[in-house]
Amino acid sequence: GAGVSQSPSNKVTEKGKDVELRCDPISGHTALYWYRQSLGQGLEFLIYFQGNSAPDKSGLPSDRFSAERTGGSVSTLTIQRTQQEDSAVYLCASSLNTIETQYFGPGTRLLVL
Amino acid sequence: AQRVTQPEKLLSVFKGAPVELKCNYSYSGSPELFWYVQYSRQRLQLLLRHISRESIKGFTADLNKGETSFHLKKPFAQEEDSAMYYCALSATGGFKTIFGAGTRLFVKA
């Protein structure tokens, strides 16, 4: 079956613009995560959705970042008033439940000029 | 607090040499431990998890609850093992998976 997909694969934007990144998880997966991976760095947790529970937003770096997950499926990560330090690869992952293997998408490479 | 520690940011070994990537965790309950790998230009993927007790691509990892460790080992490293490796911890009950900072393994010819 289809894996986790993300769009766009690449995004170039100007400083100060808003961007939306999309994640389509594997069907039936209740847990969805967003991570950020800066060049040569590890995974930085951003936000986590589990079923109908309130999301864990503890990793969001600032109030410019927000995410939603509609109908327990597709998720959108929004970055408002982008800054150059937001440039990174944004990864989405989903899992059947919290204890199961995470399946990662290919990532969206964001470049803020 | 729950935590996963990978003390080595970079590990460089020669082809054919043994390799051990260290992972220590802090969690009071019964954790589920994973190793994920990211090869160049590929997406992050599961390598192995402790509950499966499998050997994948020659790698094994044993959960040592006394030492709270889950080190990844391979007796003879190959050049194709060069990648970024992440240790991760999860648990039941809606627990958020926690990743370590990652170790970049470089296997030299």
Side-chain angles (χ1 to χ4, degrees), chain A residues 10-100:
Chain A
N10 291 281
K11 177 72 177 179
V12 181
T13 190
E14 293 178 348
K15 177 181 170 181
K17 301 278 190 182
D18 297 352
V19 295
E20 281 191 355
L21 312 180
R22 177 187 168 107
C23 172
D24 281 90
I26 293 173
S27 178
H29 280 195
T30 63
L32 187 148
Y33 296 79
W34 282 99
Y35 299 94
R36 181 165 69 176
Q37 193 173 38
S38 301
L39 187 63
Q41 302 300 309
L43 286 177
E44 178 187 2
F45 164 76
L46 296 177
I47 188 169
Y48 158 58
F49 297 89
Q50 170 53 36
N52 296 322
S53 302
D56 179 342
K57 305 178 184 180
S58 60
L60 295 178
S62 78
D63 59 8
R64 296 186 295 105
F65 288 72
S66 63
E68 61 177 25
R69 187 179 185 191
T70 52
S73 181
V74 171
S75 178
T76 302
L77 176 70
T78 301
I79 309 174
Q80 295 178 310
R81 305 182 302 282
T82 52
Q83 304 294 311
Q84 288 181 333
E85 61 261 28
D86 299 335
S87 297
V89 176
Y90 289 81
L91 295 175
C92 174
S94 72
S95 62
L96 195 58
N97 56 52
T98 54
I99 201 170
E100 294 298 326

Side-chain angles (χ1 to χ4, degrees), chain A residues 4 33 37 98 100 102 104, chain B residues 36 38 43 49 86 90:
Chain A
V4 178
Y33 296 79
Q37 193 173 38
T98 54
E100 294 298 326
Q102 289 192 27
F104 283 81
Chain B
Y36 287 84
Q38 189 170 29
R43 63 178 74 187
R49 55 188 295 186
Y86 293 94
S90 188

